[in-house]
Amino acid sequence: HLEAVLGPVAEDLDFIGFQEMRADTDLRAAEPGYLDVGEAGICYARYLQRAFQRPLLLGYVAVSSHGGWEDEQASALASLLERRVALREAGVFGWVYFQLFDDPAHTGYFGAAERDFGLITAERRPKPALEIFRAFLR
């Protein structure tokens, strides 16, 4: 019921934020396209633009490397980089990655995968996704 909630106040909002989070512990993890965060972001951004006509912030990008998913984490971020123009055209003015370092004490919806959302391990070893993130800064 997002339109019923945001619709009446949308014109007063500076922007609308949304999230894209992925982990191997998610029941949908085996579905085709699950790691295509860029495409998912574009689709949802287009919906939000049609519904609310506000600037958009992908304010919560998180992909866990749990379960040996370091390459998958990098691939998911690469999908954002590859689609940055389409995201911009869909109204997304920026995106924020969830956390720089893994947090061994973190808990939440994704269970054990919550500890591994960082781009750098808790032991300070960079993951492949860090280079993808740096590419956005260039």
Side-chain angles (χ1 to χ4, degrees), residues 22-88:
R22 304 290 189 277
D24 71 322
T25 56
D26 190 334
L27 295 176
R28 300 170 299 147
E31 293 179 8
Y34 179 74
L35 289 169
D36 195 344
V37 177
E39 185 62 26
I42 291 166
C43 289
Y44 199 59
R46 287 178 179 156
Y47 156 70
L48 291 171
Q49 267 300 318
R50 278 192 309 274
F52 306 111
Q53 295 94 43
R54 305 305 309 148
L56 305 169
L57 175 64
L58 183 41
Y60 214 82
V61 175
V63 181
S64 178
S65 63
H66 179 265
W69 266 32
E70 284 195 9
D71 289 340
E72 287 82 350
Q73 182 187 47
S75 175
L77 290 187
S79 77
L80 281 174
L81 181 61
E82 293 163 2
R83 291 169 177 83
R84 65 187 175 277
V85 172
L87 283 162
R88 192 174 316 121

